[in-house]
Amino acid sequence: MEKPQILLLTHGGWGKALTESLKMIMGSVDFVHEIPLLPEVTFAEYYAMVDEYAAGMPEKSLIFTDVFGGTTTNAGAKIGRERNIKVVSGLNAPLMIEACTQIQYTGDCNFDVVLQQGQSSIIDVISEVTKSMGKKES
């Protein structure tokens, strides 16, 4: 079975910068690919690029998008439904680390665990630090 892939759909290409940062933490993540949405690209053009790439993605691959309701997510959602690929909006580093760790070390990806990690990674830092120090917030 071919290793799952992660397709990042981001405005302006910030997924590339996130991937470069991820390489600092994990090493090679050659199964991550990004298709940036640039200002001069229409929805139809973007959709065609994403659809062409997604056609070759193996089973259990994922699409991560940056902004819910934006062009990247709309294209990802349409393609995800058509090709039975799971799509997550709200791209962040912990989400990427979880998915990449699973793929890198097991060759598989548990979507529910990845989704949970992404959802639980949003933290009120001051509140958490204050709690850990045993102090009340002011």
Side-chain angles (χ1 to χ4, degrees):
M1 183 168 119
E2 193 177 352
K3 179 170 43 175
Q5 295 177 12
I6 298 171
L7 178 58
L8 304 179
L9 305 180
T10 63
H11 289 81
W14 75 266
K16 181 177 181 182
L18 180 58
T19 302
E20 290 302 315
S21 297
L22 191 61
K23 289 178 185 176
M24 291 176 56
I25 298 167
M26 301 190 65
S28 176
V29 287
D30 59 348
F31 47 87
V32 176
H33 180 77
E34 186 219 11
I35 300 177
L37 174 63
L38 302 175
E40 63 274 8
V41 176
T42 67
F43 179 82
E45 293 167 333
Y46 189 69
Y47 176 84
M49 288 187 290
V50 175
D51 190 47
E52 181 180 354
Y53 187 85
M57 293 175 72
E59 190 175 316
K60 292 195 174 183
S61 290
L62 302 169
I63 296 174
F64 293 158
T65 72
D66 54 0
V67 179
F68 183 74
T71 300
T72 56
T73 301
N74 293 340
K78 187 170 178 354
I79 290 164
R81 274 187 80 183
E82 292 168 355
R83 299 195 175 277
N84 197 28
I85 299 172
K86 299 283 190 178
V87 181
V88 175
S89 181
L91 177 60
N92 63 46
L95 175 82
M96 286 288 295
I97 291 169
E98 179 64 35
C100 288
T101 299
Q102 286 186 30
I103 292 169
Q104 197 168 54
Y105 295 107
T106 70
D108 198 6
C109 192
N110 182 320
F111 175 77
D112 293 330
V113 172
V114 170
L115 183 61
Q116 177 58 40
Q117 179 59 42
Q119 290 173 331
S120 67
S121 67
I122 309 300
I123 297 169
D124 177 344
V125 174
I126 302 300
S127 176
E128 290 302 313
V129 168
T130 302
K131 284 183 207 173
S132 72
M133 296 172 60
K135 296 180 180 177
K136 292 184 179 180
E137 290 183 67
S138 29

